[in-house]
Amino acid sequence: MQTNKNIPYYLTAVGLFILLKFVFTLADNNDLTFLIKPTDKLVGLLTGSHSVYLPDSGYFHEYLNIIIDKSCSGFNFWILSFLLFTYLTLKHFDRTLNKILIIPTALIIAYLLTIFVNTSRIFASIVVQTQVKNFFMKQQHIVHEAIGIVTNLTFLILAYILIDKLLIHKRYNAKFA
């Protein structure tokens, strides 16, 4: 009954998720620079575009005519990834110290994945919207949201599969070591 021993850790992760979700409702662009700024820098590297930070608006790329702001921060992806990593990982460890360390580790790994996924999502959106703008002039917001949904869902599924396989492989090899 390993699951019963993990309930306090699951509840801690869910509590942190709810707290962070509430904090997000109060946050502005300045509060989310830890997510927005690295994403903006990577988007700039990929596109050759330079941005100007406008506190009320976000990172404005004049050349691309886009703004990377709170809605583009990937915050929801970050906390959802955190829950996913925590849930998957807890069932593979037995020691209390390892379980305690899973929560901050999951936050960090989810953060790094979020920056990568966010950059990929925004870059894909720039490329695709440039290619289809003549066909979907009045539906650009729908194209943008569809790219976001597909990108985020794809990366969440891939992260789940990869982490699950790695942890199962680790556990299997530990039994025979």
Side-chain angles (χ1 to χ4, degrees), residues 13-27 32 34 75-76 78-80 82 107:
V14 169
L16 188 55
F17 174 88
I18 291 167
L19 176 67
L20 288 170
K21 189 71 173 157
F22 174 73
V23 168
F24 180 70
T25 63
L26 305 174
L32 297 170
F34 74 100
F75 190 88
N76 289 320
W78 176 51
I79 59 175
L80 195 57
F82 157 69
L107 279 169

Side-chain angles (χ1 to χ4, degrees), residues 29 70 102 110 124 156:
N29 290 321
K70 177 182 177 178
I102 284 171
L156 270 177

Side-chain angles (χ1 to χ4, degrees), residues 43-61:
V43 167
L45 283 172
L46 289 171
T47 62
S49 175
H50 297 284
S51 66
V52 175
Y53 181 68
L54 308 169
D56 293 334
S57 302
Y59 289 90
F60 175 62
H61 287 260

Side-chain angles (χ1 to χ4, degrees), residues 36-37 39-54 58-68 126:
I36 302 171
K37 187 174 184 174
T39 300
D40 172 69
K41 294 294 182 196
L42 291 172
V43 167
L45 283 172
L46 289 171
T47 62
S49 175
H50 297 284
S51 66
V52 175
Y53 181 68
L54 308 169
Y59 289 90
F60 175 62
H61 287 260
E62 184 177 6
Y63 171 73
L64 300 170
N65 194 29
I66 64 166
I67 293 177
I68 300 175
I126 291 167

Side-chain angles (χ1 to χ4, degrees), residues 78-141:
W78 176 51
I79 59 175
L80 195 57
S81 297
F82 157 69
L83 273 184
L84 174 80
F85 296 161
T86 302
Y87 169 75
L88 278 174
T89 309
L90 276 172
K91 60 186 177 180
H92 292 279
F93 289 92
D94 298 322
R95 293 183 42 211
T96 302
L97 179 61
N98 290 342
K99 290 179 185 229
I100 291 170
L101 292 174
I102 284 171
I103 291 177
T105 303
L107 279 169
I108 293 167
I109 292 170
Y111 170 77
L112 295 172
L113 179 65
T114 299
I115 300 303
F116 173 75
V117 170
N118 232 13
T119 301
S120 301
R121 177 183 55 79
I122 293 169
F123 183 70
S125 187
I126 291 167
V127 170
V128 169
Q129 285 184 283
T130 301
Q131 299 298 317
V132 299
K133 74 177 167 189
N134 293 333
F135 301 109
F136 300 105
M137 283 202 140
K138 294 181 182 176
Q139 289 83 21
Q140 286 292 307
H141 66 284

